[in-house]
Amino acid sequence: SQTIHQWPATLVQPVGSPLSLECTVEGTSNPNLYWYRQAAGRGLQLLFYSVGIGQISSEVPQNLSASRPQDRQFILSSKKLLLSDSGFYLCAWSRMGGGEQFFGPGTRLTVL
Amino acid sequence: ILNVEQSPQSLHVQEGDSTNFTCSFPSSNFYALHWYRWETAKSPEALFVMTLNGDEKKKGRISATLNTKEGYSYLYIKGSQPEDSATYLCAFIRAAGNKLTFGGGTRVLVKP
């Protein structure tokens, strides 16, 4: 069966510090991978998605970047965090061609 | 920018009562409409993936309908129970796309 892992679960970082959130998927090959953010009081916003190694599509201009160094690894990064980067970050995967998405447990990021 | 709207934003339901809420989405270039349930402290989980106009899907006491021509979907909960309390998210996929555009969600609270 497939599982998706995210870490860390919670993170408190000062403004201006770097960020690295990791997501890995087990039990499947060539997944589509996604990063979402839920800011306080708002819905899920798609940040990045990837259909293959090294292929990243960015949905909104922002302070964040994503990388996919391996088939089942998706990393969300920032060089300098802003207060507005606070939120709940979810990684998800789906099979090639779209379809139902499976979400990880999420990371709660607080930027102070 | 795709507009996916859900209403109402929140709903209080007495245990045993039935309820429904709406997701509206662009009626052009439709590919699929997803419904997810997001319980507190958990990850979103898929309820339904709907692709055809007129689709009706059911899972236990929860069902959904789809009208792609007019761009709306209803989710129904029959005989609401406290464990139905969650945020219900709909998400739209445009034709030949890999990415979901989420609505803001309907937060349902079932009171015993």
Side-chain angles (χ1 to χ4, degrees):
Chain A
S1 65
Q2 301 87 10
T3 53
I4 178 168
H5 305 279
Q6 276 186 254
W7 62 92
T10 59
L11 194 57
V12 180
Q13 292 284 96
V15 169
S17 64
L19 173 74
S20 182
L21 302 182
E22 189 162 343
C23 170
T24 58
V25 180
E26 295 176 358
T28 188
S29 297
N30 303 315
N32 290 346
L33 295 171
Y34 307 84
W35 277 112
Y36 292 91
R37 175 172 62 200
Q38 185 193 33
R42 303 181 71 178
L44 278 179
Q45 181 185 37
L46 179 64
L47 301 175
F48 301 95
Y49 73 96
S50 170
V51 297
I53 295 174
Q55 300 179 60
I56 309 293
S57 294
S58 174
E59 287 302 294
V60 289
Q62 59 207 324
N63 186 41
L64 302 167
S65 61
S67 62
R68 184 170 177 175
Q70 299 179 47
D71 181 46
R72 289 169 286 178
Q73 184 185 29
F74 205 22
I75 297 171
L76 184 69
S77 304
S78 174
K79 291 182 180 177
K80 288 186 179 181
L81 284 168
L82 306 171
L83 286 174
S84 57
D85 292 323
S86 293
F88 189 63
Y89 289 81
L90 280 166
C91 180
W93 74 273
S94 71
R95 292 182 175 84
M96 292 289 288
E100 176 184 354
Q101 292 194 3
F102 301 89
F103 288 84
T107 295
R108 173 77 57 194
L109 172 66
T110 303
V111 183
L112 301 175
Chain B
I1 296 177
L2 297 176
N3 254 355
V4 182
E5 309 264 351
Q6 290 187 247
S7 64
Q9 284 188 321
S10 65
L11 204 47
H12 287 197
V13 186
Q14 202 63 40
E15 182 176 357
D17 286 353
S18 297
T19 189
N20 65 83
F21 37 93
T22 311
C23 171
S24 61
F25 52 86
S27 56
S28 58
N29 296 319
F30 176 86
Y31 184 73
L33 193 283
H34 294 195
W35 280 101
Y36 290 82
R37 175 166 59 198
W38 193 359
E39 297 178 68
T40 303
K42 294 186 178 180
S43 303
E45 290 185 346
L47 285 171
F48 305 115
V49 175
M50 309 179 81
T51 56
L52 296 175
N53 184 43
D55 254 357
E56 291 189 28
K57 298 223 172 178
K58 188 175 180 182
K59 184 181 285 189
R61 294 177 290 97
I62 300 178
S63 60
T65 60
L66 179 67
N67 183 323
T68 61
K69 295 185 187 304
E70 296 182 38
Y72 65 83
S73 175
Y74 291 124
L75 192 106
Y76 300 87
I77 304 176
K78 184 178 177 182
S80 303
Q81 299 297 309
E83 59 265 29
D84 296 327
S85 296
T87 296
Y88 291 82
L89 298 167
C90 70
F92 169 79
I93 300 182
R94 193 169 46 186
N98 286 300
K99 53 184 184 177
L100 299 178
T101 300
F102 279 87
T106 293
R107 187 171 180 180
V108 174
L109 179 63
V110 181
K111 300 177 182 178

